[in-house]
Amino acid sequence: MNGLRAIARTFWIGGLWVIGIIVTPVLFSALDNVTAGMVAGRLFASIAWVGLVCSVFLMADYILRQGARGLKQAPFWLLLGMLACIVINHFAVTPIIAALKMQMNHAAEGLFGGGFATWHAISSLIYLVQSLMGLVYLLRSDN
């Protein structure tokens, strides 16, 4: 079981970091913004599904190992927080961004106007929080 835990953590949290820190900036430096955004969006959607599966597995495994006391410990709550970030970003924020892309009006877009830039910033912030919680989880987890 230790091996599956390690694979789940590496695949999910490592994937978050690789996509967010390495792949996305490379896409935007090598491709036009529309193509880079489309590919990055698919990558973020893919890692969201990986995160859904891995977070449920890791939380269930943690509770099986720790029992009810695991519900009171930081690793469980970090995983739950990361899962909440996925659910909010993938099922709430991303559909809003997709709808805004379809009706993009650059003249009306503004940081505080509820436009694409605002929702993209919110999504990026949620992703950053999730990635940082992953870091803390890895540093605090016993195995």
Side-chain angles (χ1 to χ4, degrees):
M1 202 61 136
N2 286 345
L4 285 176
R5 247 190 323 277
I7 291 167
R9 287 193 301 239
T10 302
F11 191 43
W12 175 28
I13 298 169
L16 281 172
W17 297 344
V18 168
I19 291 169
I21 297 170
I22 299 171
V23 175
T24 300
V26 169
L27 287 173
F28 279 94
S29 70
L31 303 171
D32 62 277
N33 284 348
V34 173
T35 305
M38 183 185 67
V39 174
R42 288 186 182 181
L43 290 168
F44 288 125
S46 296
I47 201 67
W49 287 106
V50 167
L52 286 169
V53 172
C54 290
S55 63
V56 170
F57 166 74
L58 290 168
M59 285 190 297
D61 175 70
Y62 193 76
I63 295 305
L64 285 173
R65 288 184 296 119
Q66 299 294 322
R69 68 186 164 100
L71 295 171
K72 298 178 182 178
Q73 296 174 349
F76 176 81
W77 287 99
L78 287 164
L79 290 169
L80 188 62
M82 292 174 72
L83 176 60
C85 287
I86 295 168
V87 170
I88 292 166
N89 231 357
H90 189 68
F91 296 108
V93 177
T94 299
I96 292 170
I97 291 172
L100 288 170
K101 278 187 198 175
M102 296 297 284
Q103 57 183 326
M104 182 95 73
N105 178 355
H106 294 288
E109 183 180 87
L111 185 58
F112 299 104
F116 177 81
T118 300
W119 285 103
H120 189 273
I122 291 168
S123 179
S124 298
L125 183 60
I126 292 169
Y127 193 88
L128 174 63
V129 167
Q130 180 186 10
S131 297
L132 292 174
M133 283 193 290
L135 175 63
V136 174
Y137 169 74
L138 290 175
L139 293 174
R140 293 191 66 144
S141 101
D142 49 356
N143 59 32

